[in-house]
């Protein structure tokens, strides 16, 4: 079969047999693809640092007849997370992006919007400033996967929430007004909802530069994570680690 | 009905649990053990038993040892004020092969790996901090792997160790000796340019 060429993001690798690696790639051409990188564990000569998680590469791979796994021939690094300092918060944020993509994306289904989102967010994920790119990524991923409910009206009574108080609950499919909120609901501020609206209108670059402490839009991130975790029906390992970053 | 007698099946099943050993290899090894002398088979069994019974972690550096302290921590000729931090006990052998490092070690038993839920609290960092806080250490060399996980671990450790006011260094990264620059990948080349030294 002919060798395919595509830009791709390396999501994660698993050891396979004695010397091989099983690589999960998010390719621009075909979406999530799982491929075997022969001898990648034993010898670093062929792939070098190209198989590190969240490396932006040009991947060359081929499908094998009647086999689910592709064969990864080679990777050319376009942008590596190792080209700038990997701080502890950045490592967790990178892991979070990789885990979300791995859990949310279906196999072999191209999604150019998500691909462009990841490339843009990774370019902003530098140093220890992780909260803005993470918020932007979670918000857009929730929307692009089709899981984001309407943020401006109550799911129970349909009344508009603009300017008023809004609440969310782990088992509810959207926001609720003060009158319809469930027991043990959390509040999402009007500022955070306003920020979400801004993020839908502007690229991630336009939010760079301004300080973004952990507390900013923390309620929005909690709502988004609850929504995502409800749909994938599991807890994200990296979400708990992000929570612990001070 | 099984192809082999029950003790043979049991041995094959146990050997199959070893990394890199599949059914065929396990079967071959099991038959090799069966054909070997009683003494050899007993020596193998005793070695497996001993390795589990007598090995433990050094209370200072977490290296695997049969005596506490390990050979490096108890050595009078090694520089106890210079600590090299590694991810796994097997990394020590690679550094010892150079015959140029005369300090001691500290084994973390892993690296920070968010995707696997491994944070600093799962690594053996607290006794490293205690070691350096005693004021008996001049320099800590961070020799974690040049991967995202190894880098994150090194960056985290340097932040913790600098508070103790000591010199923290990172092993160099770059082109392997004997290789060709033409075939070096972009990131390795970048790291070698960044880590260049004056001649």
């Amino acid at each position: 079969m002919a060798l395919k060429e595509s830009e791709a993001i390396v999501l994660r690798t698993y050891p396979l047999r004695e010397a091989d690696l099983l690589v999960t790639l998010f390719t621009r051409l075909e979406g999530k693809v799982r491929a075997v990188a022969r001898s990648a564990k034993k010898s670093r000569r062929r792939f070098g640092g190209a198989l590190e998680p969240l490396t932006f590469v040009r991947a060359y791979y081929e499908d094998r007849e009647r086999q689910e796994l592709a064969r990864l021939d080679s990777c050319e690094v376009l942008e590596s997370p190792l080209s700038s300092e990997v701080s502890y918060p950045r490592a967790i944020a990178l892991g979070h992006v990789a885990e979300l993509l791995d859990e949310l994306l279906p196999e072999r289904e191209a999604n150019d919007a998500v691909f462009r989102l990841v490339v843009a967010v990774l370019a902003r994920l530098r140093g220890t400033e992780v909260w803005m790119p993470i918020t932007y990524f979670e918000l857009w991923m929730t929307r692009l996967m089709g899981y984001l409910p309407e943020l401006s009206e109550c799911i129970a009574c349909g009344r508009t929430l603009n300017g008023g108080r809004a609440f969310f609950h782990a088992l509810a499919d959207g926001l609720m007004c003060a009158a319809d909120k469930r027991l043990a609901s959390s509040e999402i501020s009007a500022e955070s909802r306003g920020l979400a609206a801004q993020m839908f209108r502007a690229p991630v670059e336009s939010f760079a530069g301004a300080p973004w402490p952990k507390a900013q839009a923390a309620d929005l991130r909690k709502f988004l994570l609850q929504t995502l975790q409800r749909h994938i029906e599991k807890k994200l390992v990296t979400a708990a680690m992000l929570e612990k970053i001070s | 009905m099984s192809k082999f007698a029950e003790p043979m099946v049991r041995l094959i099943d146990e050997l199959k649990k070893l990394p890199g050993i599949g059914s065929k290899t396990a079967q071959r090894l099991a038959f090799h053990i069966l054909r070997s002398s009683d003494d050899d088979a007993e020596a193998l069994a005793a070695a497996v038993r001993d390795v589990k019974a007598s090995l433990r972690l050094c209370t200072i550096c977490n290296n695997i040892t049969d005596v506490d302290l390990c050979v490096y921590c108890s050595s009078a000729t090694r520089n106890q004020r210079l600590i090299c931090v590694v991810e796994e006990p097997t990394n020590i052998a690679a550094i010892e092969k150079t015959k140029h490092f005369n300090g001691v070690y500290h084994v973390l038993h892993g690296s920070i790996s968010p995707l696997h839920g491994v944070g600093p609290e799962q690594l053996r960092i607290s006794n490293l901090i205690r070691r350096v806080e005693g004021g008996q250490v001049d320099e800590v060399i961070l020799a974690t792997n040049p991967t995202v996980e190894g880098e994150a671990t090194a960056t985290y450790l340097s932040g913790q160790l600098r508070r103790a006011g000591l010199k923290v260094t990172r092993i160099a990264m770059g082109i392997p000796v004997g290789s060709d620059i033409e075939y070096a990948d972009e990131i390795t080349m970048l790291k070698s340019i960044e880590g260049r030294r004056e001649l």
Side-chain angles (χ1 to χ4, degrees), chain B residues 4 7 10-11 15 19-20 27 47 50 60 84 87 92-93 104 122 129 144 149 151 160 163 168 172 183 186 191 193:
Chain B
F4 305 112
R10 201 148 50 91
L11 179 58
L15 289 169
Q27 205 173 299
D50 284 356
I60 291 181
C84 180
E87 289 181 16
I92 292 177
V104 289
Q122 275 84 38
I129 305 294
T144 52
E149 295 175 351
E151 280 294 297
Q160 299 289 311
R163 285 184 206 159
V168 181
Y183 299 111
E186 298 80 345
K191 292 288 172 191
I193 298 283

Side-chain angles (χ1 to χ4, degrees), chain A residues 18 52 82 86 88 91 95 237 244, chain B residues 20 115 117 120 147-148 152 155 191:
Chain A
E18 190 74 343
E52 284 299 302
L82 287 166
V86 186
Y88 178 52
V237 177
K244 286 186 200 161
Chain B
L115 278 168
T147 58
V148 170
T155 313
K191 292 288 172 191

Side-chain angles (χ1 to χ4, degrees), chain B residues 187-198:
Chain B
I187 194 68
T188 307
M189 203 64 225
L190 169 75
K191 292 288 172 191
S192 14
I193 298 283
E194 278 177 359
R196 70 189 184 277
R197 63 189 168 88
E198 201 173 327

Side-chain angles (χ1 to χ4, degrees), chain A residues 87-220:
Chain A
S87 65
Y88 178 52
R90 183 169 176 242
I92 297 176
L94 289 170
H96 187 60
V97 171
E99 189 181 19
L100 273 175
L101 289 170
D102 199 16
E103 293 293 343
L104 292 168
L105 294 172
E107 296 218 5
R108 303 272 180 172
E109 206 178 294
N111 194 329
D112 202 60
V114 173
F115 196 89
R116 281 184 281 114
L117 169 71
V118 183
V119 173
V121 166
L122 288 180
R124 291 288 142 203
L125 215 42
R126 306 262 171 215
T128 52
E129 302 295 319
V130 299
W131 297 112
M132 184 281 287
I134 283 296
T135 310
Y136 194 92
F137 181 71
E138 287 177 350
L139 181 69
W140 269 101
M141 273 306 280
T142 315
R143 186 185 208 184
L144 291 171
M145 291 293 106
Y147 302 150
L148 192 72
E150 182 54 62
L151 297 179
S152 59
E153 62 183 46
C154 171
I155 50 159
C157 65
R159 243 179 306 181
T160 180
L161 295 167
N162 290 347
R165 296 179 76 188
F167 297 84
F168 61 96
H169 188 275
L171 300 174
D173 279 324
L175 300 181
M176 295 158 286
C177 64
D180 293 316
K181 70 169 183 170
R182 293 190 192 181
L183 202 65
S185 290
S186 306
E187 185 166 4
I188 179 166
S189 68
E191 293 77 46
S192 293
R193 282 178 283 146
L195 206 52
Q198 275 181 45
M199 284 183 155
F200 287 136
R201 288 194 299 267
V204 66
E205 297 81 28
S206 62
F207 297 92
W212 191 298
K214 185 183 178 184
Q216 190 167 348
D219 50 358
L220 174 63

Side-chain angles (χ1 to χ4, degrees), chain B residues 93-112:
Chain B
I95 296 171
E96 282 299 300
K97 270 198 285 189
T98 66
K99 298 188 177 76
H100 271 72
F101 179 71
N102 193 37
V104 289
Y105 296 95
H106 189 92
V107 186
L108 298 171
H109 288 273
S111 58
I112 290 171

Side-chain angles (χ1 to χ4, degrees), chain B residues 5-70:
Chain B
E6 197 275 331
M8 186 54 120
V9 172
R10 201 148 50 91
L11 179 58
I12 292 170
D13 285 346
E14 291 305 318
L15 289 169
K16 262 169 31 184
K17 291 177 187 170
L18 299 173
I21 306 287
S23 297
K24 287 250 171 73
T25 311
Q27 205 173 299
R28 207 163 51 239
L29 290 172
F31 273 95
H32 176 83
I33 293 167
L34 180 67
R35 288 188 203 108
S36 61
S37 67
D38 288 355
D39 286 350
D40 283 350
E42 191 51 50
L44 176 65
V48 173
R49 260 197 311 273
D50 284 356
V51 85
K52 289 301 288 177
S54 61
L55 292 189
R56 69 193 98 157
L57 298 186
C58 172
T59 49
I60 291 181
C61 72
N62 310 316
N63 185 20
I64 294 170
T65 177
D66 55 342
V67 283
D68 201 16
L69 309 166
C70 73

